Amino acid sequence: SGTMAKVQLLLEAIQRLDAELSRREEANTPKSTQAELSRRALELKSGSRAEQHPNPGRSASEGMQPKKRQKPPKVGTSRKEIGRVSQAGKVAQARKDAK
């Protein structure tokens, strides 16, 4: 029982030592540059063949339907345009008369 406890204690110490060594080894390795990380991300993205947009699944209906026109579309100049041009004419005439 005493020998088994020593073996267990040594095994735990070796595991802690391995963990510390791997941690230090990882700390000493140089970090990847932003360019390397970007290249790696691009490789992963281009290598992935997943669909960009998943299937939306079932929908409630066909959606909104266009309504039929009640009145025919108006053709010609709008009242707003007629008023604008008329007012511009009045202003121009007033400027001319003021001289």
Side-chain angles (χ1 to χ4, degrees), residues 41-95:
L42 184 61
E43 287 172 12
L44 289 173
K45 185 175 180 181
S46 62
S48 153
R49 292 290 175 215
E51 282 188 38
Q52 294 299 321
H53 300 287
N55 183 7
R58 295 174 52 191
S59 61
S61 68
E62 295 297 314
M64 295 177 68
Q65 300 298 319
K67 289 171 58 175
K68 300 267 185 199
R69 280 187 166 272
Q70 299 297 326
K71 298 182 201 171
K74 291 186 178 181
V75 179
T77 313
S78 69
R79 293 176 54 89
K80 177 171 68 174
E81 183 72 8
I82 293 169
R84 184 188 69 79
V85 171
S86 173
Q87 187 64 33
K90 289 178 187 174
V91 169
Q93 186 63 47
R95 282 191 188 141

